[in-house]
């Protein structure tokens, strides 16, 4: 069973703990960077959680590294050198629903 719960971690604006069975990992916002534990088994779920939190909290500009294994442009990020950046209002939660 999966769970993603908001917690606290020193140095982070916000931090989430993700439990996937026996595996426990985390991710959050630290000094404007969205980060995720290397051992996270559900990186898309974690990224969606972090992007949603940024959107809901009105977070300004954020950045992340290409550690997610996902197309970050779909989430509103643009590549700038070795990182991906986005203004808070440009962040999005893409979906793959097909209609008609």
């Amino acid at each position: 069973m999966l769970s993603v719960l908001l917690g606290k971690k020193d140095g982070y604006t916000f931090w989430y703990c993700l439990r996937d069975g026996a595996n426990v990992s985390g991710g959050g916002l630290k000094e404007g960077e969205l980060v995720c534990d290397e051992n996270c088994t559900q990186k898309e779920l974690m990224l969606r959680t972090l992007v949603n939190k940024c959107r809901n909290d009105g977070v300004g500009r954020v950045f992340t590294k290409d550690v997610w294994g996902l197309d970050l442009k779909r989430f509103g990020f643009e590549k700038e050198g070795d990182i991906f950046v986005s203004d808070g209002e440009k962040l999005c939660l893409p979906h793959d629903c097909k209609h008609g």
Side-chain angles (χ1 to χ4, degrees), residues 20-62:
D20 182 4
N23 187 325
V24 178
S25 57
L29 179 66
K30 183 176 185 176
E31 298 174 2
E33 180 180 7
L34 296 178
V35 298
C36 181
D37 287 342
E38 213 174 285
N39 69 327
C40 183
T41 59
Q42 301 290 328
K43 289 190 176 182
E44 182 170 356
L45 175 59
M46 180 59 74
L47 182 60
R48 286 179 175 278
T49 300
L50 300 179
V51 165
N52 188 58
K53 177 73 168 159
C54 287
R55 288 171 42 132
N56 288 342
D57 288 3
V59 172
R61 194 165 174 88
V62 296

Side-chain angles (χ1 to χ4, degrees), residues 12-13 32-33 37 43 56 62-64 75 81 85 88 98:
Y12 288 81
T13 305
E33 180 180 7
D37 287 342
K43 289 190 176 182
N56 288 342
V62 296
F63 71 96
T64 192
F75 291 85
V85 298
K98 307 249 191 253

